[in-house]
Amino acid sequence: MNADLASLLLALGIFSVGFISIGPNILAIIGTSMERGRASGVKLALGVGIGSGIWATLTVAGLTALIAAYAYAITVLKILGAIYLLWLAYRAFRSAATPEGNVAVRSAKGNRLFLQGLAIQMTNPKAALHWIAIVGVGLGPNAPLWVGLSLISCCTLMSVLGHLGYAITFSTQPVVDFYRRSRRWIEAGLGVFFSLAAYKLATYRG
């Protein structure tokens, strides 16, 4: 019991460190929250958070280990992820090239933003390998069922709350005002980031 709990806490600690490293998922939430407002950022964040829960469930079930065992499955994920990141880069560059007076307020249905967040999280092969490492630490060969269920529920909750925190923080009025003043530079920077992330993902050798 004590050993299982210690392993679970260690796995949760490894997972929580991931929020310090800002990747495409967090950058997308930050950009959306500043540009479209809190409601849109929250919807995107929920998609990313639920995506983490899906990866956790798949990993505990052993399915991601099966995916990692077949090179073509990882290749497909890499291609899909890189294409999606390039699409985000294109949108960011297009926004950066648009003069302030010509910017139209973009609206998106909640389902579409939620699915966008889910797509960002689920097309990242690094997430599969990262979760294999987390589960390898948190679940011993004879770990009881409650450990796996606790890992899934805790990580899903932490992911949802953590990404919501980014959405709420970066949709506050001072941050939104800063975005409006620096919109074209911020969008250009996001475009560069997503382009580099797409290249890194496409050339990733896990």
Side-chain angles (χ1 to χ4, degrees):
M1 175 71 174
N2 291 335
D4 290 329
L5 181 59
S7 296
L8 175 62
L9 293 176
L10 178 59
L12 292 176
I14 295 172
F15 175 73
S16 64
V17 171
F19 289 108
I20 300 175
S21 176
I22 296 181
N25 52 343
I26 293 177
L27 257 295
I29 292 170
I30 289 174
T32 299
S33 300
M34 291 190 298
E35 179 187 2
R36 303 189 189 183
R38 179 166 299 174
S40 295
V42 164
K43 292 166 188 173
L44 189 70
L46 287 175
V48 173
I50 296 302
S52 292
I54 294 175
W55 274 124
T57 303
L58 291 175
T59 310
V60 170
L63 296 182
T64 51
L66 183 62
I67 291 175
Y70 292 93
Y72 73 88
I74 293 294
T75 300
V76 170
L77 281 177
K78 288 197 306 183
I79 293 173
L80 292 175
I83 290 173
Y84 188 72
L85 289 174
L86 286 174
W87 179 68
L88 293 178
Y90 163 74
R91 289 181 52 183
F93 283 132
R94 185 179 64 179
S95 177
T98 304
E100 187 68 34
N102 296 333
V103 175
V105 177
R106 292 185 294 173
S107 60
K109 295 181 179 180
N111 287 342
R112 189 158 73 87
L113 282 169
F114 176 84
L115 292 175
Q116 286 178 8
L118 202 62
I120 293 172
Q121 196 74 340
M122 296 306 297
T123 56
N124 185 2
K126 291 184 181 180
L129 301 178
H130 181 62
W131 273 106
I132 290 174
I134 291 175
V135 170
V137 171
L139 292 180
N142 299 312
L145 179 62
W146 70 266
V147 177
L149 295 178
S150 297
L151 185 63
I152 293 172
S153 57
C154 288
C155 287
T156 302
L157 181 62
M158 289 169 62
S159 182
V160 169
L161 293 179
H163 289 101
L164 284 177
Y166 278 103
I168 292 171
T169 299
F170 284 90
S171 59
T172 56
Q173 194 59 47
V175 175
V176 172
D177 290 340
F178 170 77
Y179 170 80
R180 289 172 178 169
R181 292 193 302 268
S182 311
R183 178 188 62 83
R184 300 182 76 174
W185 288 104
I186 291 173
E187 292 291 345
L190 289 174
V192 171
F193 177 87
F194 287 131
S195 297
L196 292 175
Y199 172 77
K200 186 176 180 181
L201 181 58
T203 58
Y204 179 67
R205 298 290 185 269

